[in-house]
Amino acid sequence: ETGVTQTPRHLVMGMTNKKSLKCEQHLGHNAMYWYKQSAKKPLELMFVYSLEERVENNSVPSRFSPECPNSSHLFLHLHTLQPEDSALYLCASSQADVGAAGELFFGEGSRLTVL
Amino acid sequence: GEDVEQSLFLSVREGDSSVINCTYTDSSSTYLYWYKQEPGAGLQLLTYIFSNMDMKQDQRLTVLLNKKDKHLSLRIADTQTGDSAIYFCAETLYSSASKIIFGSGTRLSIRP
């Protein structure tokens, strides 16, 4: 138990569906992240929220839309996805200014399959 | 550019030492990390090294950093079946304190 909870753990959706992934952290952190994990590829940073403001958006297609209503919750809204978007989506949290030897705490991930 | 590279697979015999290697491209990296991902789980920080250090030892784990060659390694002594996992190398860039760049992970498998 890392203190970061992701739901759902598994999601299958069609290309025309709209769904959302949810992440909640109970660690009192003030930065939250979405990463995409695909087989044989580097873990890809998608979005970073620090103190509830988006500070990173790494050229992610607009069919992925993040939302951070408060420092404990993070959502990833999914709309008209493509089969190549199938992957494990990992949420993480940390104290802001993670560069000072900070540690990322990860959830167990949401396995997304797009048909 | 920002790039962290690792080999994808490593197989070792139980009881032997495992050495997982990583190269990175950004010379301004401040911290370098090793994260471990067990099956069905997220990543957990295993250890880290500050860029002005050459070596760090923690029980069965030894991290070696060659800054000149931008090469990082993780040595696991007396490898056990519980060490089976994916090991990710990562760096933090001086230019972006909120950003950690990960490699693709090395899947370590243990044979009896």
Side-chain angles (χ1 to χ4, degrees), chain A residues 9 35 37 43 97-99 101 104 107, chain B residues 31 35 37 40 42-43 97 100 103:
Chain A
R9 293 293 309 279
Y35 280 87
Q37 184 178 8
L43 203 61
D97 191 17
V98 74
L104 291 178
Chain B
Y31 288 91
Y35 277 78
Q37 184 183 32
L43 282 69
I100 293 184

Side-chain angles (χ1 to χ4, degrees), chain B residues 36-96:
Chain B
K36 178 182 181 182
Q37 184 183 32
E38 296 184 352
L43 282 69
Q44 280 191 294
L45 180 65
L46 204 54
T47 186
Y48 69 90
I49 188 167
F50 187 49
S51 57
N52 70 352
M53 297 169 65
D54 298 325
M55 186 180 93
K56 181 177 180 181
Q57 185 144 11
D58 183 4
Q59 299 183 329
R60 291 191 298 122
L61 305 179
T62 303
V63 179
L64 294 177
L65 175 60
N66 181 329
K67 244 191 133 175
K68 175 175 165 290
D69 294 339
K70 296 182 192 148
H71 183 268
L72 183 74
S73 68
L74 173 70
R75 179 176 179 270
I76 305 173
D78 186 25
T79 309
Q80 304 297 309
T81 53
D83 296 323
S84 294
I86 302 175
Y87 291 83
F88 288 87
C89 173
E91 62 175 347
T92 296
L93 304 181
Y94 223 128
S95 60
S96 179

